[in-house]
């Protein structure tokens, strides 16, 4: 077995175990929901319990590897070439409301490059997996991106970061512009699922700002292995730390990038 296959299988073990934890807490976290700082940025007992399970599995198998986990921060020796990025519950607001769009996301960077990704949606029992050169799957069957190349025929998805009340760079103008140019723009509330849904062809493209590494690393390799493309808004190489991502089926990429580079001000819609 290759190392990547082994990493993929262990990440799968961790994601499935964490998904079971999320299912167990569902509907039972009302008394344990707090805001992390910004209004609307929630954390529940389920986020923490899910993260504990992922950490236990990864540390047992890979004690030398570095970890970046949303609720615990940086763990272990950060100089290691292997860095696991963990979002134990992506879509916490949905989860707290029992809205069925949340998942566990576990990605592995090797020397800064996304190489392995597992995204598990426990509500729908959908397991998305990928590793560099090994392809992308949904519930163990190969997946591929859509072939839509025109904005007017596309369905997109995006999100709005928790700092949206504090900045005018809050994606509202982009949302209006793309809503007019396409068949629609969805807002699921789970960035990792957004990327998984581009990867399996349910939507044609996704963009977002204010996003954290643990939101996207698993989804980036999943989408690339499904035939999609991931860059900065302007089409230049993705910088994970920038917090901005443009992710599409590839066919739509240049058109969506151009549209994002030419967004009129919000006042244009009033
Ligand atoms: C959030 C979700 C949401 C995105 C936010 C993220 P969380 O993650 O992915 O879709 O719009 O920017 O922070 O807080 O639910 O893990
Ligand atoms: Ca997240
Ligand atoms: Ca989270």
């Amino acid at each position: 077995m290759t190392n990547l296959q082994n990493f993929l299988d262990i990440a799968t073990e961790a994601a499935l175990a964490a998904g079971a934890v999320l299912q167990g807490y569902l509907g039972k976290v009302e008394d344990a929901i707090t805001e992390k700082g910004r209004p609307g940025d929630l954390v529940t007992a389920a986020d923490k319990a899910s993260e504990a399970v992922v950490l236990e599995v990864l540390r047992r198998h890979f004690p030398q590897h570095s970890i970046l986990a949303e609720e615990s921060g940086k763990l272990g020796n950060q100089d290691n070439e292997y860095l696991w990025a963990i979002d134990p519950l992506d879509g916490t607001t949905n989860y707290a409301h029992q809205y069925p769009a949340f998942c566990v996301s576990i990605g592995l960077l090797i020397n800064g490059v996304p190489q392995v990704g597992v995204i598990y949606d426990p509500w729908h029992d959908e397991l998305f997996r990928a590793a560099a050169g090994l392809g992308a799957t949904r519930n163990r069957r190969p997946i591929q991106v859509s072939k839509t190349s025109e904005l007017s025929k596309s369905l997109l998805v995006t999100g709005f970061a928790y700092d949206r009340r504090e900045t005018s760079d809050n994606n509202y103008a982009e949302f209006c512009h793309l809503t007019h140019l396409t068949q629609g723009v969805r807002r699921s509330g789970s960035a990792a699922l957004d990327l998984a849904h581009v990867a399996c062809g349910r939507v044609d493209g996704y963009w977002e700002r204010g996003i954290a590494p643990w939101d996207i690393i698993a989804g980036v390799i999943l989408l690339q292995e499904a035939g999609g493309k991931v860059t900065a808004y302007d089409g230049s190489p993705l910088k994970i730390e920038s917090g901005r991502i443009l992710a599409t089926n590839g066919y739509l990429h240049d058109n969506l990038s151009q549209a994002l580079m030419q967004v009129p001000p919000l006042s244009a819609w009033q």
Side-chain angles (χ1 to χ4, degrees):
M1 191 193 298
T2 66
N3 269 351
L4 284 185
Q5 185 66 55
N6 185 40
F7 297 149
L8 184 59
D9 290 342
I10 302 304
T12 303
E13 177 189 334
L16 291 174
V21 168
L22 295 182
Q23 282 298 87
Y25 275 85
L26 193 61
K28 300 175 190 150
V29 293
E30 285 82 359
D31 297 337
I33 302 174
T34 47
E35 283 188 340
K36 280 199 266 191
R38 291 197 163 98
D41 190 357
L42 308 179
V43 63
T44 71
D47 296 70
K48 293 173 186 164
S50 172
E51 183 158 302
V53 166
V54 176
L55 291 178
E56 190 283 317
V57 175
L58 294 182
R59 284 163 140 177
R60 176 157 41 86
H61 288 275
F62 311 119
Q64 307 302 327
H65 289 188
S66 310
I67 287 177
L68 174 63
E70 181 174 11
E71 309 308 335
S72 310
K74 294 179 178 176
L75 300 170
N77 164 23
Q78 291 295 309
D79 295 333
N80 194 277
E81 64 189 296
Y82 299 97
L83 173 67
W84 292 95
I86 302 161
D87 193 334
L89 171 47
D90 187 50
T92 295
T93 308
N94 291 337
Y95 183 85
H97 292 266
Q98 296 183 63
Y99 183 84
F102 55 85
C103 64
V104 181
S105 178
I106 302 174
L108 175 64
L109 291 166
I110 305 180
N111 293 319
V113 180
Q115 297 279 291
V116 172
V118 176
I119 295 171
Y120 181 51
D121 168 351
W123 185 299
H124 300 100
D125 192 22
E126 285 198 311
L127 175 66
F128 296 93
R129 301 177 359 127
L134 300 181
T137 60
R138 172 192 159 275
N139 290 350
R140 317 264 172 185
R141 288 166 190 254
I143 52 172
Q144 270 189 336
V145 291
S146 66
K147 294 201 163 32
T148 312
S149 59
E150 293 169 46
L151 283 173
S152 62
K153 295 187 176 153
S154 70
L155 180 66
L156 307 181
V157 64
T158 190
F160 303 96
Y162 295 111
D163 66 355
R164 57 189 176 261
R165 297 169 184 82
E166 299 154 29
T167 171
S168 57
D169 177 21
N170 52 15
N171 201 28
Y172 295 172
E174 288 84 347
F175 181 80
C176 289
H177 186 48
L178 268 311
T179 296
H180 276 245
L181 294 178
T182 62
Q183 293 189 348
V185 182
R186 301 291 176 257
R187 193 284 203 239
S188 82
S190 166
L193 282 185
D194 293 342
L195 284 161
H197 293 170
V198 182
C200 69
R202 290 175 184 160
V203 289
D204 307 303
Y206 160 73
W207 83 93
E208 189 162 352
R209 61 159 289 284
I211 213 77
W214 49 76
D215 294 317
I216 58 168
I217 287 171
V220 163
I221 183 66
L222 183 78
L223 181 55
Q224 288 171 333
E225 285 295 311
K229 187 168 176 181
V230 180
T231 66
Y233 282 13
D234 64 3
S236 63
L238 176 72
K239 290 195 188 72
I240 289 168
E241 298 299 333
S242 75
R244 273 174 208 263
I245 182 170
L246 169 60
T248 75
N249 61 12
Y251 304 96
L252 190 70
H253 209 85
D254 291 349
N255 288 337
L256 184 50
S257 172
Q258 266 178 26
L260 284 170
M261 293 292 99
Q262 296 166 359
V263 176
L266 260 188
S267 54
W269 310 109
Q270 286 157 2

